[in-house]
Amino acid sequence: ELFELVTFRRHRQHQKKEGNLVRTIVKNVDGTRSMLYRVGLKFTALDNRLFENWCTWKKKKLSDGQASYVVGIVPLKDYTGTRFSNLERKGFKLAETTGTYIITSIASNICKVTRIQSVDLKLHLPDALLETLAKSQLEEANRLQEKFRRNGKKVDQELREVLVQRMKREVVLDEDQNKVFIDLEDLFGREKGGWDKFES
């Protein structure tokens, strides 16, 4: 979703919002899994802005054994590989964005996404307009969250199961401790979930 940009849906969305402004994607730059992404954006009462970015990703293994994927975005001018010449910029003002997405696997169907991104439109903006731009970025983050949202109870159950398994791996349990984990799994594994009230 974050890295696969060559889709009919994304092309149609761009045409609907930005008209015939440029949208160019070059994949596998220099034989790597990186790409060039050029996109023109309209801004009310401003010149059209052109973003030229180099994007790549890497899989990392964390100290706890979990997988993490890091997506990096930098201005094309910072890319040290092939120089892309003859890029048409007429009618645009060049803008820049730099960002990192960190996608960490928590369970088989659950992940955590951390997004850090800055945008430089090459002009001074009033606070009200900055708030509007920030809101549009948050809306995109919320759209992704809603698209992949799953049933909360199922997610909670999967997280509890993973947590119990990780805790078990950390230490060797004796018989009494193992019984506690079995009781906890039984408690949290009930269909209605949550804590039960014990009568004194």
Side-chain angles (χ1 to χ4, degrees), residues 14-27:
H14 179 79
Q15 283 188 322
K16 184 177 179 180
K17 188 175 181 181
E18 313 298 343
N20 61 352
L21 296 187
V22 64
R23 183 177 186 270
T24 305
I25 298 164
V26 179
K27 300 178 75 173

Side-chain angles (χ1 to χ4, degrees), residues 36 39 76 79 86 107 109 111 118-119 124 132 141 145 162 186 192-193 199:
L36 158 68
V39 61
L76 185 60
Y79 177 54
N86 301 320
N109 292 309
C111 70
S118 64
V119 177
H124 177 71
T132 300
Q145 185 179 30
V162 169
D186 177 61
K192 65 179 179 179
E199 298 294 339

